[in-house]
Amino acid sequence: MSTNETYQHITVLLNEGVDALALKADGVYVDGTFGRGGHSRLILSRLGAQGRLVVFDKDPQAVAVAQELAARDKRVSVVHDGFATFQTALDSLGIGEIDGALFDLGISSPQIDEGGRGFSFRFDAPLDMRMDPTRGMSAAEWIAVAGEQELHEVIKNYGEERFSRQIARAIVAQRQEQPIDTTRKLAQLVAQNVRTRERGQDPATRTFQAVRIFINRELEEVEAVLPQVARRLKQGGRLVVIAFHSLEDRIVKQFMKKHSQHAPLPRWAAVKETDLPQPPLALVGKAVKPSSTEIAANPRARSAVLRVAERTGGEFAAE
């Protein structure tokens, strides 16, 4: 185990994700969310000497693990950035088309389990929540300045929290008395304003999820990267995405569906649908979820959904 890898991370849908790439020994692949390298290591074990793997991560701790791997394996290139920079990063590495890309979205176990990162209400820590704590505004800094309406919209839209308005109002009131700068302060405030609790779920769960997604621009990054990847895939190349909540999965599902079928034809159209140009993507199988065995071994896997699309010979419409 690396000295940088203190916290255990169990890769979800490990074999299913890598199998879905349909790897070629000499292919060029991207792991858009390195984490602690579970998918990357399995990909490398199946690549030949001429294969290449580019890995992305925002988290400095994950990047340190990736750089250790790259120091031992010259097939690996490391990008310390969010995967929304996919296109410019590949350009800077001199890479054109790729044979496949895998994205394991969301937050990793080490980020949750290291209390000092401020992602979890289970630990009392500075309220940070940045995947890259060297860049951007922390959760505490945002909560200190955001208006009540913005707080409400973020908590409602990204956390799907029914009591978002009450929580937003309480945040604005409390921060006038004292800063909400620790995970405990935020969790206690939320608990006081969530009137009913879902069985087995802490009342702060949805709010913490919402703030984390907003601070890290998680959904915007997913929306930005999907078209970049799809356009760089070689014919037969695969896009594989593992999502962990409905907001991410909806973006992925809609993107893959949109580009794997023709727009509906009006009834009066003289052309047959079979005569239309081939869509640029084709769906591969149905959505895959973890087995009951995997969920029993790793409860954090229970919400995971894997989707796969393959690049066809069809062209994307001009944007």
Side-chain angles (χ1 to χ4, degrees):
M1 179 178 289
S2 161
T3 55
N4 294 301
E5 193 172 4
T6 306
Y7 301 90
Q8 184 182 23
H9 177 65
I10 303 172
T11 305
V12 175
L13 292 169
L14 173 60
N15 289 293
E16 294 88 340
V18 175
D19 288 347
L21 286 170
L23 290 164
K24 300 175 182 176
D26 60 350
V28 179
Y29 295 91
V30 172
D31 183 347
T33 45
F34 180 79
R36 290 304 183 268
H39 285 119
S40 285
R41 290 186 180 90
L42 186 56
I43 290 169
L44 288 167
S45 74
R46 300 182 184 181
L47 289 182
Q50 300 306 311
R52 189 168 182 185
L53 178 65
V54 181
V55 303
F56 286 74
D57 212 293
K58 291 181 179 180
D59 190 325
Q61 294 181 6
V63 169
V65 177
Q67 287 172 339
E68 288 184 2
L69 179 62
R72 299 191 303 271
D73 193 328
K74 300 307 180 185
R75 297 174 297 173
V76 180
S77 300
V78 181
V79 179
H80 180 190
D81 212 336
F83 51 67
T85 64
F86 178 91
Q87 193 153 285
T88 54
L90 262 59
D91 287 345
S92 69
L93 292 168
I95 296 173
E97 292 184 319
I98 62 171
D99 295 281
L102 170 64
F103 295 87
D104 181 358
L105 303 177
I107 191 169
S108 69
S109 296
Q111 290 167 329
I112 299 171
D113 293 336
E114 185 185 352
R117 299 295 297 274
F119 284 106
S120 176
F121 44 77
R122 294 189 290 116
F123 310 96
D124 189 23
L127 188 61
D128 194 310
M129 293 198 189
R130 289 173 293 176
M131 291 183 181
D132 183 349
T134 68
R135 307 176 189 177
M137 180 181 285
S138 71
E141 290 169 334
W142 175 68
I143 283 175
V145 299
E148 182 177 324
Q149 182 64 21
E150 183 182 15
L151 288 162
H152 155 64
E153 290 176 356
V154 166
I155 296 168
K156 177 184 178 183
N157 295 334
Y158 294 162
E160 300 176 299
E161 171 58 73
R162 288 179 294 158
F163 301 103
S164 56
R165 194 169 294 282
Q166 294 93 317
I167 294 168
R169 190 177 302 124
I171 288 172
V172 171
Q174 181 164 318
R175 74 188 184 192
Q176 294 174 355
E177 303 296 327
Q178 60 174 324
I180 303 168
D181 53 5
T182 69
T183 53
R184 179 168 294 169
K185 287 179 183 178
L186 180 59
Q188 289 176 342
L189 179 148
V190 172
Q192 293 164 4
N193 289 274
V194 173
R195 294 194 298 273
T196 61
R197 306 184 184 192
E198 296 170 67
R199 190 172 182 179
Q201 185 180 89
D202 189 284
T205 299
R206 291 178 178 274
T207 297
F208 270 65
Q209 172 187 291
V211 175
R212 187 204 85 219
I213 289 173
F214 175 80
I215 289 296
N216 293 289
R217 297 180 56 81
E218 293 178 36
L219 301 185
E220 290 90 340
E221 287 218 333
V222 174
E223 289 176 334
V225 78
L226 293 176
Q228 293 182 48
V229 175
R231 290 173 182 273
R232 296 292 278 256
L233 288 173
K234 296 178 182 177
Q235 185 172 349
R238 297 279 183 91
L239 169 61
V240 180
V241 186
I242 302 170
F244 285 83
H245 60 72
S246 59
L247 299 175
E248 292 173 336
D249 186 51
R250 189 178 306 136
I251 293 169
V252 176
K253 180 180 179 180
Q254 290 177 349
F255 176 83
M256 290 183 174
K257 181 179 179 181
K258 175 183 176 182
H259 294 289
S260 61
Q261 61 185 22
H262 300 293
L265 290 171
R267 291 181 179 179
W268 47 263
V271 64
K272 295 179 180 179
E273 194 159 345
T274 52
D275 295 330
L276 291 172
Q278 185 181 23
L281 295 179
L283 300 181
V284 179
K286 296 181 178 180
V288 176
K289 297 185 178 181
S291 67
S292 56
T293 302
E294 180 171 3
I295 294 170
N298 180 18
R300 288 176 180 168
R302 64 185 177 275
S303 60
V305 180
L306 180 151
R307 297 184 187 276
V308 186
E310 181 173 296
R311 186 76 163 90
T312 71
E315 295 298 322
F316 284 93
E319 292 183 345

